[in-house]
Amino acid sequence: MVCLGNICRSPLAEGILKEKIKIQGLDWEVDSAGTGSWHVGEKPDRRSIAIARQHHINLTDQRARQLKATDLDSFDLIIGMDRSNRNNIIKLSTNAQQEKKIHLIMDFIYPNQEIEVPDPYYDRDGFEEVYEMIDKATDAMIEKLGRD
Ligand code: 4NP
């Protein structure tokens, strides 16, 4: 799960998806990263921690890291929150096999519609909407991939 800072959206995506795969008993490895390095080593934004906590998900053990080129080999799917994230991930990729792994998270519900999870960093009211979008997208992901 990839966003810009790895402190707002992708930590939520990691936390929500991990909770669901635990409940479903799926053997998936889930991680998150940011394309930028500004927040490396930091905990998720307190607003993401708070909204997750309201839904009984704990994000406080996460620490931000920067996406690295080898992640595009290590993971089967590299999922961006918005088109800018996706462009940044594509810039890191070096071959078609890696590029095929790159998706927008909302593609799991609305394929090819280019729907973005908005960056909530400067919008103190945006976190509930972000939570709801990621919650629905991860449900769709498990629905689509969970029985493969
Ligand atoms: P995220 O949000 O990409 O969802 O983690 C942001 C966090 C930090 C910044 C931008 C977006 N920033 O400009 O520092």
Side-chain angles (χ1 to χ4, degrees):
M1 295 297 187
V2 180
C3 61
L4 180 60
N6 193 209
I7 54 168
C8 297
R9 291 165 292 178
S10 60
L12 273 170
E14 176 185 336
I16 292 169
L17 187 57
K18 278 184 169 166
E19 179 70 13
K20 290 178 182 177
I21 64 171
K22 191 167 77 183
I23 290 166
Q24 301 271 339
L26 293 167
D27 183 22
W28 293 4
E29 183 182 350
V30 178
D31 199 2
S32 65
T35 59
S37 62
W38 309 282
H39 297 282
V40 166
E42 293 178 20
K43 279 187 192 173
D45 188 286
R46 59 188 163 70
R47 298 164 295 179
S48 286
I49 290 175
I51 199 88
R53 186 175 288 139
Q54 285 173 30
H55 297 271
H56 312 289
I57 293 172
N58 174 29
L59 305 185
T60 61
D61 296 332
Q62 293 189 35
R63 296 293 179 274
R65 72 173 182 93
Q66 188 173 22
L67 186 70
K68 49 188 192 290
T70 51
D71 290 323
L72 279 72
D73 291 321
S74 309
F75 291 88
D76 299 320
L77 293 172
I78 311 288
I79 299 172
M81 301 295 125
D82 64 27
R83 286 179 286 179
S84 162
N85 305 148
R86 185 179 56 191
N87 287 342
N88 289 329
I89 304 164
I90 289 170
K91 279 187 212 149
L92 259 190
S93 70
T94 52
N95 59 57
Q97 198 184 356
Q98 292 177 342
E99 208 168 320
K100 272 198 301 200
K101 300 176 174 181
I102 304 168
H103 303 272
L104 286 177
I105 192 168
M106 296 312 292
D107 286 351
F108 289 98
I109 313 181
Y110 307 107
N112 306 313
Q113 292 189 44
E114 300 288 296
I115 295 177
E116 306 182 293
V117 179
D119 179 350
Y121 191 59
Y122 294 107
D123 170 13
R124 66 193 162 86
D125 299 323
F127 282 77
E128 181 61 43
E129 183 195 9
V130 163
Y131 185 94
E132 296 300 329
M133 291 181 86
I134 293 172
D135 188 36
K136 291 193 175 81
T138 48
D139 277 344
M141 229 182 127
I142 287 177
E143 180 71 21
K144 187 164 191 287
L145 304 173
R147 29 172 159 232
D148 282 0

